[in-house]
Amino acid sequence: RVLFRSDQITRTVAKRLIPACIVAPVILWCALRFGVRHGWYDLETCFTLFVFSIAGAMGTIVWIHLKKLSRMDAERAAALEQSRVAREAAEAANRFKSAFFANISHEIRTPLTAINGFAELLLNSERTEEERRGDARVIRRNGEHLLTLINDILDQSRIEAGQMAVEPISCCPAAMIGEICSMLRPRATEKNLALDVEFEGDIPKTIRTDPT
């Protein structure tokens, strides 16, 4: 839009400058010759006045139009800067999306692994009824966590804005850490790694945070 306007200004400047360079000297010469005919000054003075007047008039006309061209260049530079900023913002948004989806893919894998691991335990006939109920609760918690992650993926507005909503609620830190361990334990078991949690000292019963 600005480039089109700049081209339009250039044509306008040319249309005004060329007629002025032709008409102004003719009008000025006729006016000076009128003074010679009436004896106000001689022909030599007429030529001198003509040269200085033309130089002053042309200089003024060129200066005025150069200011317009300078304004045009400033507008074009501002437009290019806005375009650069918008392009960088779009590239940053794309980088954020790529990083978000790369991270969220790992986040999705964790509850899915836990669901699969505890589903296998649930099918084990040697486990007690209480243990199976515990396995089912873990599967349910991981399913809810997975649903939360999927909702975050589908919320494009938050992804594009680079913001994830934080909802602090009252929750038990011991239970929250226990749930995290239950999600990660199947993956640790697959790699023959031990995963244990030890609390040193007193911890509060409830805290306000975003457990997700």
Side-chain angles (χ1 to χ4, degrees), residues 140-199:
R140 180 177 180 180
R141 286 197 303 268
N142 281 275
E144 292 174 350
H145 181 65
L146 182 61
L147 181 60
T148 300
L149 293 175
I150 293 175
N151 288 334
D152 287 339
I153 295 174
L154 296 177
D155 194 346
Q156 293 293 329
S157 60
R158 282 191 290 175
I159 295 175
E160 293 176 355
Q163 298 175 350
M164 299 298 292
V166 177
E167 302 174 354
I169 60 175
S170 295
C171 59
C172 176
M176 183 171 59
I177 295 173
E179 291 176 4
I180 294 173
C181 289
S182 67
M183 288 195 323
L184 298 177
R185 185 164 285 109
R187 295 183 63 182
T189 303
E190 289 178 359
K191 299 180 179 181
N192 296 320
L193 298 175
L195 178 60
D196 297 311
V197 178
E198 182 179 351
F199 294 97

Side-chain angles (χ1 to χ4, degrees), residues 6 9 64 66-76:
S6 300
I9 292 176
I64 291 173
L66 281 178
K67 286 188 66 177
K68 292 182 179 180
L69 290 174
S70 178
R71 237 181 0 255
M72 175 194 70
D73 290 337
E75 290 178 355
R76 179 159 37 187

Side-chain angles (χ1 to χ4, degrees), residues 107-129:
E107 294 292 334
I108 291 175
R109 188 180 304 158
T110 298
L112 280 176
T113 303
I115 291 172
N116 289 332
F118 279 91
E120 290 181 3
L121 292 175
L122 192 61
L123 295 175
N124 188 349
S125 59
E126 296 180 359
R127 293 177 67 81
T128 65
E129 188 67 23

Side-chain angles (χ1 to χ4, degrees), residues 1 4 16 18 22-23 91 93 97 100 105-106 117-118 130-132 136 139 144-145 147 164 169 192-193 195 208 210:
R1 186 185 306 172
F4 173 76
R16 293 180 180 177
I18 294 175
I22 297 174
V23 175
E91 291 174 354
K97 284 183 180 180
F100 177 84
S105 62
H106 292 288
F118 279 91
E130 182 62 29
E131 288 175 333
R132 289 187 176 186
I139 292 173
E144 292 174 350
H145 181 65
L147 181 60
M164 299 298 292
I169 60 175
N192 296 320
L193 298 175
L195 178 60
R208 286 188 60 82
D210 190 326

